[in-house]
Amino acid sequence: MKEHYYVALDIGSTSVKAVVGEKFHDGVNVIGTGQTFTDGISRGMIKDFELARNAIKDTIKKAKISSGIEIDEVFLKMPITGTEFGTGEEELRFGGNSTEITGEHIEELLETIREREMHNDKEVITVFPNYFRVDDLHEVADPKEMMATQSLSVNAGIILINRSLLMNAVKCVEDSGLTVLDVYSDAVNYQHVLSESEVELGGAVIDIGADLTQFGYYERGALKFAGSLPVGGSHITNDLSEAFNTPFEVAEKVKHQYGHAFFDLASDEDIVRLPQRDGEPDVEVTPKDLADIIELRLEEMLLDVFAELQAAGITRVSGGFIVTGGTVNLLGVKELLQDLVSEKIRIHIPKQMGARKPEYASAISTISSGIMFDELLEYVTIDNYETEPGEAVGETPAEDSGSFFTGLFNKRKENNARQLEEENNQYSYDGESAETPQNDEEYSDYAYEDDRPDEPVTRSDEETKRPDKPKDYRGYMKKLFKNLFE
C-alpha cells in the first residue's frame, strides 16, 4: 500500500523549517520535521542564495532522517509580505445538459481566473474558492458529485505576490535539488489554524515570528483581510540588549529563560546577571525588569496590528484572537492580550507529536492547504493516510500563457496523475480494485485549549523603533482598543 506524504517547506524569518505529514482522518499526522537557522534569509525572503540553499539542504536532510522518507518534492510556503488580494468570478455553462460536477470543472474555473488575473510584476500564487453556485440556485462549499443543467460558477479569492520574490524563492529551492509542487500563501494557510466556529464567526490569527509578524482575519468561512509587519521577537531581544548593555546572544537566551510578556505577573525575586558589552562589571536584573522592556515592545506590536484591522474596517472580532509563531513561547502573552481586548484569546500550539511548537503552525497549515486543494480538485482521494485510486485530472488550458506559476502547476498535476496511475496499477488485482479500510474514529489535528502556557502575540507593519511614548499615552491606546473590540 502506497502512502501519500506531504512535505511543507517554510522559509521563515530566521530559519528554514520542513514538516513531513500525511492525511489522518480530518487532520494531519506529522511523521518528521527539520529546522536550520541561517543568516541567508530575512522576513521570509532570500538574502544570500548560498546560505539559504545550504540551510534548505540541511533542513531536508534532518526531515529525511526523522521521517525515514525520501524527499524530493515540496509544497512551498510564502509569506504575506509583498502580497495583494482580490476577488474574481467565473462561470461554466452546460447548455441544459445534465452534468455531474467533478474536480475538472472546479479546476477549469479556478485556472481561468488565475490566467485572467496575471500581471507583469505580480504572480497569482493561489486562487481559492469562497463559494460555488450550482445553476444559480444555491451556494455550496464543494459542488463535486452534484448535478447541474445550466451552470457552475465560483466566487474566488485571489492572492498575488511579487514575481521576483516568488521566482527567487522557487529557484533557491529547486537549486537545492527539490521540486516545488505548489506554492501557498500564509494568508490561505492560517484558516487551518482556526476552528470551524472561529472562522465562521470572525477570527483573527496573529503569527509572531522572529523578524516578521503576520495576521489574517477570516469570517463566514473566507479570508477577509491579511497583512504583515516587519517586527517580531528579535526586536524584543534587541530592546533588551540595548536597555541592559548586554550582547544580543545573551539577551536572546535570557529572554527565553526568564522573560515574561506581562509585567504584573513577572517575578521580582530571581536575580539574573548580565555581562556588559563594554567590559564593565555584570549587572543584576530581575525578571520583572526584563518584563518591563518585553511588555512595552510586544504591546506596541499588538497595537499596530489592531490599528491595521481598524483601518480595514474590522472593529469586532467575534471569533477571538488566535496567536501563534515562535515568539509566543514567551510567558504572559495571553494575559497581555486579555488586558488589551475583550475578545476571547487562544494561544495555538500544534498538538502533533514531534511538532508541538508554535513555530511549526504555519508549515503544518501548509500541508493542510495541500490536502484541501488535492481533495477539492480530485488529484487524490485520501483517507486514514492511505491513497485510494482516482482519476487523473484533465489538461490545464493555456499552458503557453507565459505565467511563471503555470509551470509549477502543471508539474504538480503531472506528478499527481503519474502517482495515481501507479497506485491504480498497485491496487488492481485481477481486474478488481482493493478496498481501503475505513475508519470512523475522529482525530483532531489542532489543539484549542485554554490551559496552554501563556504565549505571545505581535505584529507591526514597519521596522518600528521603541517609542518614547509617555505611559499615559499607552494607557489611552489600551483603553481605545479595549473599547474598539468590545
Side-chain angles (χ1 to χ4, degrees):
M1 191 169 295
K2 185 178 177 65
E3 294 89 350
H4 192 95
Y5 297 109
Y6 291 80
V7 182
L9 188 65
D10 177 359
I11 300 177
S13 294
T14 57
S15 70
V16 177
K17 292 178 284 292
V19 172
V20 183
E22 54 191 353
K23 167 81 173 182
F24 190 79
H25 300 283
D26 292 328
V28 174
N29 180 38
V30 172
I31 59 175
T33 63
Q35 181 177 16
T36 303
F37 290 89
T38 177
D39 294 328
I41 56 178
S42 177
R43 304 188 186 101
M45 295 179 284
I46 307 298
K47 187 171 66 174
D48 185 307
F49 253 68
E50 184 176 358
L51 290 177
R53 190 164 47 236
N54 290 338
I56 292 171
K57 290 179 179 179
D58 188 52
T59 299
I60 293 298
K61 181 179 179 180
K62 293 174 181 175
K64 285 181 180 179
I65 294 173
S66 65
S67 66
I69 303 300
E70 283 299 316
I71 300 172
D72 52 20
E73 298 169 333
V74 298
F75 290 92
L76 177 61
K77 186 221 77 166
M78 293 298 292
I80 299 174
T81 305
T83 296
E84 293 181 5
F85 304 93
T87 57
E89 294 192 354
E90 187 57 42
E91 183 179 58
L92 282 178
R93 304 293 300 181
F94 300 125
N97 297 318
S98 295
T99 305
E100 180 178 344
I101 299 171
T102 68
E104 292 186 39
H105 296 120
I106 297 173
E107 179 185 4
E108 183 177 346
L109 286 172
L110 299 182
E111 276 304 288
T112 300
I113 293 176
R114 182 197 299 275
E115 292 167 7
R116 186 177 65 225
E117 296 296 329
M118 286 193 306
H119 295 70
N120 291 332
D121 59 342
K122 297 286 183 180
E123 189 72 39
V124 179
I125 60 171
T126 305
V127 179
F128 57 95
N130 293 322
Y131 59 84
F132 295 91
R133 191 178 291 112
V134 179
D135 280 347
D136 206 25
L137 296 176
H138 52 280
E139 297 177 0
V140 296
D142 186 348
K144 289 196 304 296
E145 299 184 12
M146 298 182 71
M147 299 299 295
T149 59
Q150 300 301 322
S151 66
L152 171 67
S153 61
V154 64
N155 178 285
I158 304 165
I159 300 180
L160 303 95
I161 196 168
N162 181 279
R163 179 168 291 179
S164 295
L165 192 156
L166 175 64
M167 292 177 64
N168 287 327
V170 172
K171 181 179 186 301
C172 189
V173 173
E174 296 199 331
D175 284 354
S176 303
L178 301 168
T179 298
V180 176
L181 290 179
D182 212 337
V183 183
Y184 294 111
S185 168
D186 274 329
V188 171
N189 299 334
Y190 287 149
Q191 66 182 303
H192 303 294
V193 170
L194 302 172
S195 66
E196 290 185 7
S197 61
E198 288 168 343
V199 77
E200 185 65 26
L201 293 172
V205 178
I206 304 176
D207 181 357
I208 310 169
D211 288 334
L212 187 67
T213 294
Q214 303 188 119
F215 52 93
Y217 176 73
Y218 306 80
E219 187 178 14
R220 296 182 181 178
L223 172 69
K224 300 298 182 182
F225 179 68
S228 65
L229 297 174
V231 289
S234 63
H235 294 78
I236 296 174
T237 304
N238 188 66
D239 288 350
L240 292 171
S241 176
E242 292 297 323
F244 299 110
N245 192 35
T246 194
F248 184 91
E249 296 75 14
V250 174
E252 179 74 10
K253 183 177 180 180
V254 167
K255 180 183 73 173
H256 289 293
Q257 288 185 341
Y258 303 99
H260 205 290
F262 196 54
F263 179 82
D264 293 348
L265 296 181
S267 169
D268 59 359
E269 297 179 357
D270 297 329
I271 300 298
V272 183
R273 298 180 63 86
L274 298 178
Q276 300 295 281
R277 290 180 297 189
D278 53 13
E280 292 293 318
D282 295 355
V283 299
E284 294 183 348
V285 300
T286 66
K288 211 168 190 68
D289 295 326
L290 300 175
D292 194 30
I293 304 298
I294 295 171
E295 184 188 85
L296 178 64
R297 170 62 84 170
L298 194 51
E299 183 180 288
E300 177 194 350
M301 292 192 290
L302 292 172
L303 293 178
D304 284 344
V305 173
F306 300 154
E308 292 283 331
L309 293 174
Q310 184 188 26
I314 301 167
T315 58
R316 188 171 184 83
V317 183
S318 301
F321 290 92
I322 295 82
V323 188
T324 192
T327 300
V328 302
N329 284 309
L330 277 169
L331 295 174
V333 175
K334 186 174 183 178
E335 285 77 8
L336 177 58
L337 263 171
Q338 287 174 333
D339 189 52
L340 295 175
V341 297
S342 300
E343 278 78 6
K344 180 187 74 172
I345 306 298
R346 179 170 66 80
I347 302 300
H348 177 75
I349 301 175
K351 200 170 184 179
Q352 290 89 340
M353 287 290 292
R356 292 179 176 175
K357 298 179 181 180
E359 51 263 44
Y360 283 115
S362 180
I364 294 174
S365 297
T366 302
I367 293 178
S368 297
S369 290
I371 293 172
M372 177 182 72
F373 276 95
D374 270 5
E375 294 185 327
L376 179 66
L377 302 181
E378 292 186 307
Y379 283 148
V380 291
T381 302
I382 311 168
D383 184 63
N384 298 342
Y385 65 85
E386 295 167 0
T387 309
E388 294 180 341
E391 293 185 8
V393 294
E395 291 253 343
T396 303
E399 290 188 9
D400 58 348
S401 63
S403 168
F404 169 76
F405 190 85
T406 299
L408 298 179
F409 185 86
N410 289 335
K411 277 193 293 186
R412 178 184 176 192
K413 196 165 68 168
E414 291 168 5
N415 174 79
N416 279 289
R418 184 175 63 253
Q419 180 173 350
L420 289 174
E421 183 177 352
E422 293 172 356
E423 291 168 357
N424 278 328
N425 295 334
Q426 186 173 11
Y427 274 84
S428 180
Y429 301 96
D430 298 326
E432 296 183 1
S433 258
E435 291 187 7
T436 302
Q438 300 297 317
N439 191 330
D440 295 328
E441 179 187 355
E442 293 186 356
Y443 176 86
S444 174
D445 61 324
Y446 291 118
Y448 304 115
E449 301 175 9
D450 290 329
D451 58 352
R452 290 286 182 185
D454 308 316
E455 244 77 32
V457 214
T458 250
R459 186 267 113 175
S460 260
D461 222 283
E462 296 165 340
E463 193 88 43
T464 335
K465 300 175 183 173
R466 284 186 63 227
D468 297 324
K469 299 175 184 174
K471 194 71 176 180
D472 59 335
Y473 175 76
R474 292 173 60 207
Y476 167 76
M477 293 299 291
K478 290 166 71 170
K479 289 180 182 178
L480 172 66
F481 286 110
K482 187 85 170 178
N483 294 330
L484 175 65
F485 290 108
E486 281 181 342

